[in-house]
Amino acid sequence: MKITLSKLSTKDLATLSQRIINSSESGNFPVISNHPLLTEFKTKYADYDQVYTKQIYSGKGVNVAEADKERDHVFRILKNYLNGYRKMTLLSNYQFAIDVFEIFKAYDLNLDKLSYSSQTAQMKKLIEELETSENIQKLNALLLLPSFNEMKSKHEAFELIFAEQAGANADLRQMKSASAIRRDLEKTLKSFLSLITAMKDIPDWKLLYADSNELVKAAKNSTLKPENNTQLP
């Protein structure tokens, strides 16, 4: 009953392990039902089953990018509106537009093109300055207070999602690596199969060996490439 476990795909290794466990616990083979090596094997498989399909990272990157895109969009709308308004000197509040646009300039008119961390730092300061009573009055006079509140809301939403991603990624990194867990499972499964092989001539173990051997053969066949049956014309 020989098999190179390292050649099995992650899914095939999981399948073989589950089938061996199910067979051993079927009640048909009392000699193995309460064996300590079976208990150890089940523990290793449970660890492997938990992580072998997990992504390396949290998968929240798409949500973070979308949240950043939304705050960038509102920022650009405000910036472009102010840029146009400040040039319209016939409007009574154009000076307010000049004043607020200068604040945007102070914190980088292209902050939407910065990295997440740099943009967050700059936008936080921009929002804080725009929130002063004097600037709130100017935004209100320019009818831009709702847009400002929208930008602030989008920024806060981004920060929340980004924090969730950072926390999820940290949790995943603290988990034992999938490769290490696989090695542990392979080692225990190999020992388990070796035990059954060593005992195969003992009457109570013969059927267990035969059943396990069939499962191993099926796993080995899963790694074989199908023959090329294409015929020449």
Side-chain angles (χ1 to χ4, degrees):
M1 191 161 49
K2 295 182 179 180
I3 184 171
T4 305
L5 297 174
S6 60
K7 290 184 178 180
L8 295 180
S9 69
T10 54
K11 182 178 179 180
D12 288 339
L13 177 61
T15 299
L16 174 60
S17 298
Q18 186 61 66
R19 286 174 176 173
I20 292 289
I21 290 171
N22 290 344
S23 173
S24 300
E25 294 189 316
S26 64
N28 297 325
F29 313 110
V31 292
I32 201 68
S33 60
N34 294 313
H35 200 284
L37 188 53
L38 174 60
T39 301
E40 177 70 6
F41 177 32
K42 288 165 60 179
T43 299
K44 297 301 184 183
Y45 172 70
D47 291 342
Y48 180 77
D49 185 57
Q50 183 181 4
V51 302
Y52 88 94
T53 57
K54 280 186 177 292
Q55 296 178 346
I56 295 176
Y57 293 101
S58 66
K60 294 181 181 290
V62 173
N63 295 337
V64 171
E66 184 61 30
D68 180 60
K69 182 180 179 181
E70 290 181 4
R71 72 171 176 173
D72 289 347
H73 179 64
V74 181
F75 169 80
R76 284 192 292 268
I77 288 176
L78 265 173
K79 178 187 70 174
N80 294 336
Y81 184 87
L82 288 167
N83 187 36
Y85 201 117
R86 71 191 177 97
K87 299 173 184 178
M88 303 174 70
T89 57
L90 295 179
L91 297 179
S92 58
N93 293 321
Y94 85 94
Q95 185 59 51
F96 289 166
I98 292 175
D99 295 342
V100 176
F101 189 75
E102 287 300 312
I103 297 173
F104 271 68
K105 285 176 64 176
Y107 292 101
D108 196 338
L109 294 175
N110 293 313
L111 69 80
D112 54 310
K113 294 180 173 62
L114 301 177
S115 65
Y116 289 161
S117 58
S118 296
Q119 179 175 347
T120 291
Q122 291 293 87
M123 187 165 281
K124 180 175 182 293
K125 292 296 184 181
L126 171 63
I127 290 172
E128 287 176 355
E129 187 159 347
L130 292 176
E131 279 187 313
T132 64
S133 58
E134 178 184 358
N135 289 324
I136 286 293
Q137 290 177 10
K138 293 177 180 179
L139 288 169
N140 196 37
L142 293 167
L143 303 179
L144 289 177
L145 195 52
S147 296
F148 166 70
N149 289 333
E150 180 73 4
M151 183 179 76
K152 180 181 176 182
S153 175
K154 295 297 185 183
H155 174 68
E156 291 173 346
F158 170 83
E159 284 294 275
L160 180 62
I161 294 174
F162 187 84
E164 290 175 355
Q165 181 196 42
N169 286 342
D171 289 343
L172 286 174
R173 290 191 183 100
Q174 288 175 7
M175 294 176 65
K176 192 174 183 180
S177 73
S179 59
I181 290 174
R182 173 169 179 139
R183 286 194 298 271
D184 287 347
L185 176 61
E186 287 179 4
K187 181 180 178 181
T188 307
L189 175 54
K190 182 178 180 180
S191 296
F192 191 75
L193 295 176
S194 294
L195 169 66
I196 296 173
T197 301
M199 303 293 288
K200 68 179 181 178
D201 293 327
I202 306 299
D204 290 342
W205 291 76
K206 285 183 177 181
L207 288 179
L208 174 60
Y209 173 82
D211 190 76
S212 299
N213 193 39
E214 289 302 314
L215 296 177
V216 168
K217 287 180 180 178
K220 289 170 67 175
N221 289 337
S222 69
T223 67
L224 299 177
K225 295 181 179 179
E227 293 182 6
N228 187 351
N229 293 321
T230 303
Q231 297 181 357
L232 294 176

